[in-house]
């Protein structure tokens, strides 16, 4: 099966992710896939939450922190400004504290805690996770292509839905039990109605958003996850381990794309020894990739003669990626 066949045979898979270690070409392939789908008449949003995202470089357009930016007909790209998102997140927390407890101002000790927490990785991850949920649940596009952060962060991110869900379940259950006691107390006080539990409502709202996101990310009928790898020993080993870990989080793995494959005719004629050794090494690992991943390999992407930046180069790669089968 080819990458093109995957999209044509499963049009309901609208949430697309390319994952793998850093520096393997995930962003390039995400952009190429987005370009091809847009050229097929689909409305596509390509987005990244990676602070070191390179969508601006690939499209040669400043899109960082500007929301969805039009790239071409049917294609928008977005790089989330995590720092801005954290500040907005802090303001949202302050506003909810004021609304819930009726304070005129946020107490200094709580405000200091909110400010200090912003330095913690958890605050950044939470803010980014919230941004992703905002994007993928809105439903304004035919396809959402998520240019994932490198592998370790991606695993952490994908695990967050489950971790958050379990945590929210515990807090919500505790809050519901407290609500029952409050109800009994109100009855004993002969009060007819209870004031709305804003904290419980907020917890249920967060839980529903997390569940909506989790359902999308793990739904095999709507989501496709592609691993990107290159013919190198350590990358092959890491990819095998990562695929096993992703399976634990129910991420629907749809296949593998082998990137940066040296053209097979490059070894013909007189070439430098260094290059000949590289070709020999690649051929050995290509056989290993084939024996390990077999029919799950959807495409072999050639090493291009220059960087993939700008729409003309992306179009060239899209033709190669979607008009040719998995053969190297």
């Amino acid at each position: 099966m080819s990458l093109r066949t995957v999209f044509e045979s499963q049009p309901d898979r609208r949430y697309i992710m390319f994952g793998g270690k850093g520096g393997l070409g995930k962003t390039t392939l995400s952009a190429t896939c987005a370009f091809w789908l847009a050229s097929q008449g689909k409305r596509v949003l390509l987005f990244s939450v990676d602070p070191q995202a390179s969508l601006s470089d690939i499209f040669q357009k400043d899109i960082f922190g500007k929301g969805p930016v039009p790239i071409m007909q049917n294609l928008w790209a977005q790089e989330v400004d995590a720092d801005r998102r954290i500040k907005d997140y802090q303001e949202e927390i302050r506003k909810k504290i004021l609304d819930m407890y009726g304070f005129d101002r946020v107490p200094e000790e709580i405000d200091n805690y909110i400010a200090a927490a912003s330095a913690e990785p958890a605050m950044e991850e939470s803010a980014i996770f919230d941004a992703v949920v905002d994007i993928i649940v809105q439903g304004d596009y035919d396809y959402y292509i998520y240019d994932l952060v490198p592998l370790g962060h991606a695993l952490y991110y994908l695990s967050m839905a489950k971790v958050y869900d379990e945590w929210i379940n515990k807090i919500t259950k505790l809050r519901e039990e407290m609500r029952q006691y409050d109800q009994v107390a109100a009855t004993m006080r002969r009060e007819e109605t209870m004031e709305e539990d804003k904290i419980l409502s907020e917890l249920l709202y967060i839980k529903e958003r997390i569940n909506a996101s989790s359902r999308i990310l793990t739904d095999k009928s709507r989501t496709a996850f592609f691993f990107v790898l290159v013919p190198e020993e350590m990358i092959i080993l890491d990819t095998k381990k990562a695929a096993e870990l992703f399976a634990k989080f129910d991420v629907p793995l749809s296949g593998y794309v082998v990137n940066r494959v040296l053209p097979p005719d490059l070894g013909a004629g007189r070439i430098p020894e260094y290059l000949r050794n590289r070709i020999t090494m690649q051929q050995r690992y290509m056989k290993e990739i084939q024996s390990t991943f077999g029919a799950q390999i959807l495409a072999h992407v050639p090493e291009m003669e220059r960087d993939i930046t700008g729409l003309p180069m992306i179009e060239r790669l899209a033709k190669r990626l979607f008009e040719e089968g998995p053969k190297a």
Side-chain angles (χ1 to χ4, degrees):
M1 182 178 287
S2 68
L3 196 59
R4 178 174 183 154
T5 307
V6 171
F7 283 100
E8 291 181 340
S9 63
Q10 296 158 342
D12 292 334
R13 289 185 173 181
R14 301 172 52 210
Y15 302 93
I16 312 299
M17 293 179 281
F18 284 87
K21 293 196 71 172
L24 302 185
K26 297 186 301 297
T27 304
T28 300
L29 293 173
S30 298
T32 305
C33 181
F35 177 95
W36 182 78
L37 287 167
S39 66
Q40 305 300 303
K42 308 297 183 184
R43 285 171 53 85
V44 181
L45 175 64
L46 168 63
F47 69 99
S48 173
V49 296
D50 188 347
Q52 297 179 325
S54 52
L55 293 179
S56 290
D57 297 329
I58 285 180
F59 290 121
Q60 298 177 324
K61 195 169 191 175
D62 181 17
I63 63 174
F64 182 73
K66 299 180 184 301
V69 174
I71 302 298
M72 56 180 272
Q73 187 175 8
N74 297 322
L75 174 59
W76 289 259
Q78 180 175 0
E79 287 179 336
V80 174
D81 182 345
D83 290 338
R84 167 53 55 192
R85 188 76 191 186
I86 289 172
K87 290 178 182 175
D88 293 344
Y89 199 61
Q90 289 176 321
E91 284 307 309
E92 191 177 336
I93 291 173
R94 291 188 180 98
K95 183 176 184 305
K96 286 178 178 175
I97 288 173
L98 295 177
D99 290 344
M100 287 180 183
Y101 297 101
F103 295 148
D104 294 329
R105 54 184 291 275
V106 177
E108 185 176 354
E109 58 271 26
I110 295 178
D111 201 46
N112 289 339
Y113 175 78
I114 293 172
S118 65
E120 298 290 332
M123 174 68 89
E124 180 177 343
E125 299 287 357
S126 298
I128 289 174
F129 181 82
D130 209 46
V132 174
V133 174
D134 274 348
I135 290 172
I136 64 177
V137 301
Q138 58 185 276
D140 295 336
Y141 301 88
D142 297 321
Y143 283 88
Y144 292 86
I145 299 183
Y146 182 7
D147 175 29
L148 276 172
V149 290
L151 209 50
H153 291 289
L155 281 169
Y156 181 69
Y157 163 74
L158 292 169
S159 70
M160 284 186 73
K162 283 194 172 183
V163 173
Y164 273 5
D165 191 40
E166 290 176 4
W167 180 75
I168 290 288
N169 274 338
K170 290 179 181 177
I171 299 297
T172 304
K173 183 180 178 184
L174 180 62
R175 194 68 195 178
E176 286 174 338
E177 290 173 355
M178 292 174 62
R179 173 77 170 172
Q180 291 175 5
Y181 291 129
D182 289 345
Q183 183 70 59
V184 171
T187 302
M188 292 177 67
R189 291 196 300 268
R190 299 180 184 279
E191 295 175 358
E192 294 184 357
T193 58
M194 286 181 58
E195 186 178 349
E196 181 185 3
D197 189 333
K198 293 182 179 178
I199 294 177
L200 180 58
S201 298
E202 178 66 16
L203 288 170
L204 292 173
Y205 169 73
I206 294 172
K207 181 181 176 184
E208 176 52 34
R209 277 167 54 83
I210 291 173
N211 285 342
S213 170
S214 182
R215 282 195 297 271
I216 289 172
L217 292 175
T218 58
D219 186 345
K220 293 181 179 178
S221 65
R222 293 192 293 170
T223 301
F225 181 92
F226 302 103
F227 258 119
V228 180
L229 72 161
V230 298
E232 294 179 11
E233 182 179 17
M234 293 307 298
I235 301 301
I236 296 171
L237 293 174
D238 286 342
T239 302
K240 288 163 64 178
K241 292 177 185 174
E244 293 171 1
L245 285 173
F246 272 53
K248 291 183 180 178
F249 294 113
D250 300 323
V251 177
L253 183 56
S254 299
Y256 298 82
V257 177
V258 187
N259 197 17
R260 294 179 182 164
V261 180
L262 294 172
D265 58 352
L266 190 62
R270 298 184 61 182
I271 58 174
E273 184 178 355
Y274 165 81
L275 187 54
R276 187 174 300 283
N277 290 339
R278 294 289 300 179
I279 293 171
T280 301
M281 183 196 75
Q282 269 215 355
Q283 289 173 342
R284 182 168 73 250
Y285 291 128
M286 287 296 288
K287 290 178 182 175
E288 186 172 338
I289 288 173
Q290 184 61 41
S291 66
T292 303
F293 303 110
Q296 297 180 84
I297 301 170
L298 302 174
H300 293 91
V301 184
E303 181 79 88
M304 305 295 276
E305 74 277 9
R306 50 153 290 193
D307 291 340
I308 311 297
T309 55
L311 290 179
M313 278 301 289
I314 293 173
E315 183 177 14
R316 275 186 59 191
L317 189 59
K319 286 181 179 177
R320 180 63 187 265
L321 190 59
F322 287 95
E323 293 180 4
E324 297 184 11
K327 298 293 183 183

